[in-house]
Amino acid sequence: MRTSQFILLFLCSLIGFSGTVHAQDSLKLVPTISVDSLDLLALQMEDDLRDQQGLAPRYAVPNLVEITAATHGHWEKLDDKLAMWRLRFTCKNAISMNFGFQRWLLPIDSEMMIYNVEGTHRIRPFTIDDYNDSGELWTPAVAGGDVIIEIRCPQNAVTLIKEEIKLTSVNAGYRGFHEAFGQQPLPNNIPSLSGSCNIDVACPESVGWENEIDCVGVISTGGSTFCTGFMVNNTSQDGTPYFMTADHCGIVSGNAPSLVVYWNYENSFCRTPGSAASGGPGDGVLNQFSTGSIYRAGSATSDFTLVELNSPPNAAFGVSFCGWDASTSAPTSAVGIHHPATDEKRISFENQPPSLSTNFVTVNDWDAGTTEPGSSGSPLFDQNHRVIGQLCCGGAACGNNLSDDYGRFSRSWNLGLAAWLDSAGTGQLFVDTLPAGGGGPVEQCSNGTDDDGDGLVDCNDPDCAPSPACGGGGGPGAPANDLCSDAQAVGEGVFAFDNTGSVLDGPNACDTNMGTDVWFAYTATTSGTATIETCGSAGSLDDTVLIVYDGGSCPPSPTCLASDDDGCTTPNFSSTVSVPVVAGNTYLIQVGGWNGATGNSDLSISV
């Protein structure tokens, strides 16, 4: 963020009021703050470097200021009861402007409006309902480079407003949202309009994906950068406004209040993919938005960020909450929904199974549509309409067959997502999309009550299929020995296992890196020192955690006999322990992946 020198053309620092005037009186009364003109060539060079560094695309230049209603602007009396404050902002070659308030509080019966001087674009009024605990307010963008901020309030509220309104960032836009602002992209200004091969969500190809389309939005952070993100459901399905995007989009705890999400920014009709119209300006509008959030979790490992919006989106916007799958099940196809180059929402299709690695899901070559800068953070859905990742990186674009990498949802699950999306600790590893207007009672699966009122109780309700209480093991395809109560009975020998689809079941106090575990009930056939290990396995799970407990009762005591993380030399991160055993006694063995790693391996037991 760079600090711009700003020129104060008029400064009325008024402690009282001017005489009674009318709002429509000449703008000559309104002082003007002008920020530096934009050096488009320098910005293009900076943006090329940002792109090489994998940073989120930028659409506006922040200018740091310190402006209050006590030190700047013009106060007027509208009548015997109402007062009005106005301040004008200009940037010679900006196509949009947005604003960040470090301190913002309006009293009851007051409102703030932002509009361009031409009168073509106005943001809905901000009121006391927009206040949040951070005390900050960041606005959507307004078209053009000549904008007025106006506050109307009771005259007895003027003193409070002078103290509680502090503007600290004036952000001049130079690209993005072009058609919404009636502007064509500047020459050589990438990202420009999205490519013609993209598919509008209004096209017939998107039929059946309406609920998932409704959960995706285009975002601005810090009044400067843009990406895509999506509302995300949770196991309680209670409409908590969790929102996900990519870690590289740059949202952290310090700037989370600056998040602005635009909803339903879509073309009103299908522009034929491949046509000139599809690569040209659309007719989407930016009048539905949410502003402000609280940072909840994130990791560069799988490139995810989770925030909680300050308030749920307005019900009239029809925003849904995306379903997801945190298991390691392999998808058979994939669909991406995104905002390429901050343009209207598009949809892309991959008809083949994506490739899977520990941290990423890779779309090798889109069969229809593509992604572009600005699509980062957008969700990738599997054939069951559940999110399996968010866009990290890749080179896909119209005219090439390059791949895209999505941070894998199942990896993010154990890197912070589970604590928020399954705060009830149900162990579920998938939920479906919660449609707009959804929420309400959810079947709890183990209390003998028909919680959701569908006439089906607990495990008789299909909603409980993924619940461990109903033998689901937390997700589809869970191993038979996923739960401690289903531990596989073994003696000495070598036993293959696969923890794909499993969940953490039982204590992990002896090693908090334990995750996605399976269980064995080992009964010793001879007394001595038992060596229990995953060393030497050639399986895909090469980073294991191993804990051994005395006795065969579940749940076991949190106090273990032994534990190990990286005791082996082959593979480097496999595990080995040695414990004294007595013939005829049973010992529970908990073996899992480090921090949620999954795959197949072998458990060897010898005395």
Side-chain angles (χ1 to χ4, degrees):
M1 182 180 291
R2 71 184 183 92
T3 303
S4 172
Q5 297 293 324
F6 61 87
I7 305 169
L8 185 59
L9 300 183
F10 295 92
L11 176 60
C12 293
S13 179
L14 302 178
I15 305 302
F17 299 97
S18 66
T20 301
V21 296
H22 297 288
Q24 63 267 30
D25 281 356
S26 172
L27 288 177
K28 292 180 180 179
L29 289 173
V30 182
T32 300
I33 301 292
S34 290
V35 298
D36 289 343
S37 297
L38 299 165
D39 185 340
L40 300 178
L41 180 60
L43 290 173
Q44 181 180 339
M45 295 174 64
E46 292 174 10
D47 289 335
D48 288 342
L49 180 60
R50 289 177 61 87
D51 186 53
Q52 294 171 18
Q53 295 172 336
L55 299 176
R58 181 178 57 175
Y59 75 95
V61 177
N63 298 272
L64 299 182
V65 297
E66 287 197 17
I67 293 173
T68 73
T71 60
H72 295 74
H74 181 70
W75 281 102
E76 306 170 5
K77 288 182 179 179
L78 296 179
D79 55 32
D80 292 339
K81 296 181 179 180
L82 295 178
M84 177 175 68
W85 175 86
R86 289 185 292 176
L87 185 59
R88 185 175 180 178
F89 297 86
T90 64
C91 180
K92 183 177 180 181
N93 55 348
I95 67 170
S96 70
M97 299 187 78
N98 72 86
F99 304 89
F101 294 83
Q102 184 185 73
R103 188 170 67 242
W104 190 91
L105 172 63
L106 284 184
I108 296 174
D109 297 328
S110 302
E111 64 180 18
M112 182 179 79
M113 293 175 287
I114 304 176
Y115 51 90
N116 60 13
V117 171
E118 293 85 353
T120 61
H121 196 187
R122 176 187 296 264
I123 299 176
R124 59 95 170 151
F126 293 92
T127 69
I128 192 172
D129 293 334
D130 292 291
Y131 176 77
N132 64 82
D133 290 342
S134 75
E136 298 184 32
L137 177 72
W138 291 74
T139 76
V142 179
D146 194 348
V147 175
I148 289 178
I149 299 178
E150 175 182 311
I151 296 175
R152 298 190 181 203
C153 64
Q155 290 185 19
N156 60 11
V158 169
T159 300
L160 175 64
I161 290 173
K162 287 181 177 180
E163 295 174 351
E164 297 298 336
I165 299 292
K166 183 179 182 181
L167 175 67
T168 52
S169 189
V170 177
N171 312 307
Y174 61 97
R175 65 177 183 177
F177 308 123
H178 309 102
E179 57 272 31
F181 297 147
Q183 300 282 343
Q184 288 296 311
L186 300 167
N188 301 318
N189 203 347
I190 303 297
S192 183
L193 295 175
S194 57
S196 64
C197 75
N198 281 287
I199 303 170
D200 284 316
V201 295
C203 291
E205 291 91 333
S206 68
V207 171
W209 290 91
E210 291 83 357
N211 286 336
E212 287 68 41
I213 289 168
D214 289 343
C215 70
V216 178
V218 60
I219 67 175
S220 164
T221 305
S224 175
T225 60
F226 59 76
C227 276
T228 302
F230 55 100
M231 297 299 292
V232 60
N233 199 2
N234 65 81
T235 57
S236 296
Q237 302 198 57
D238 57 6
T240 300
Y242 292 126
F243 186 87
M244 281 188 67
T245 187
D247 175 78
H248 78 267
C249 289
I251 302 176
V252 295
S253 57
N255 67 6
S258 73
L259 176 68
V260 177
V261 186
Y262 298 91
W263 305 111
N264 301 315
Y265 183 43
E266 304 167 7
N267 210 59
S268 63
F269 62 94
C270 175
R271 296 170 290 180
T272 303
S275 67
S278 185
D283 63 2
V285 293
L286 294 165
N287 58 357
Q288 298 181 351
F289 62 89
S290 299
T291 179
S293 69
I294 303 168
Y295 181 86
R296 293 306 190 195
S299 173
T301 301
S302 55
D303 195 37
F304 87 93
T305 292
L306 177 74
V307 300
E308 183 176 345
L309 301 185
N310 286 339
S311 59
N314 188 320
F317 298 166
V319 176
S320 61
F321 296 75
C322 287
W324 42 262
D325 189 338
S327 77
T328 55
S329 299
T332 59
S333 60
V335 168
I337 301 173
H338 56 107
H339 285 274
T342 68
D343 278 351
E344 286 86 350
K345 197 180 300 181
R346 308 279 198 148
I347 188 167
S348 304
F349 297 89
E350 169 62 286
N351 299 325
Q352 285 74 44
S355 300
L356 303 177
S357 61
T358 300
N359 297 326
F360 294 98
V361 181
T362 299
V363 174
N364 297 298
D365 175 18
W366 290 105
D367 292 309
T370 188
T371 63
E372 299 183 24
S375 302
S376 289
S378 62
L380 183 71
F381 298 89
D382 67 8
Q383 68 280 359
N384 297 313
H385 293 227
R386 297 170 184 149
V387 174
I388 54 174
Q390 70 290 326
L391 183 59
C392 162
C393 36
C398 290
N400 72 34
N401 296 318
L402 299 181
S403 62
D404 276 333
D405 291 327
Y406 288 75
R408 196 171 181 183
F409 198 95
S410 60
R411 185 70 170 104
S412 304
W413 188 250
N414 292 299
L415 294 174
L417 274 186
W420 297 99
L421 302 188
D422 187 27
S423 60
T426 68
Q428 289 180 236
L429 285 185
F430 68 87
V431 296
D432 291 325
T433 296
L434 183 67
V442 175
E443 192 69 24
Q444 297 302 310
C445 304
S446 62
N447 62 358
T449 302
D450 178 19
D451 301 287
D452 59 6
D454 64 356
L456 301 172
V457 177
D458 291 349
C459 298
N460 291 320
D461 191 326
D463 293 341
C464 291
S467 172
C470 300
N481 59 339
D482 179 21
L483 306 179
C484 177
S485 57
D486 296 322
Q488 179 181 340
V490 295
E492 290 80 28
V494 178
F495 308 95
F497 70 90
D498 191 327
N499 69 337
T500 301
S502 70
V503 295
L504 179 63
D505 174 56
N508 65 344
C510 291
D511 193 323
T512 57
N513 291 317
M514 171 67 76
T516 53
D517 57 16
V518 293
W519 290 83
F520 295 87
Y522 162 54
T523 301
T525 61
T526 185
S527 298
T529 299
T531 299
I532 304 171
E533 60 187 9
T534 58
C535 304
S537 172
S540 59
L541 178 60
D542 60 0
D543 196 349
T544 59
V545 180
L546 189 62
I547 304 176
V548 180
Y549 304 91
D550 190 13
S553 299
C554 295
S557 167
T559 303
C560 61
L561 293 177
S563 66
D564 182 60
D565 186 350
D566 298 335
C568 301
T569 57
T570 305
N572 288 336
F573 304 116
S574 293
S575 313
T576 181
V577 298
S578 295
V579 295
V581 296
V582 176
N585 286 1
T586 298
Y587 306 87
L588 283 170
I589 302 171
Q590 181 185 19
V591 58
W594 184 86
N595 270 356
T598 59
N600 61 80
S601 184
D602 297 312
L603 180 71
S604 172
I605 306 173
S606 60
V607 178

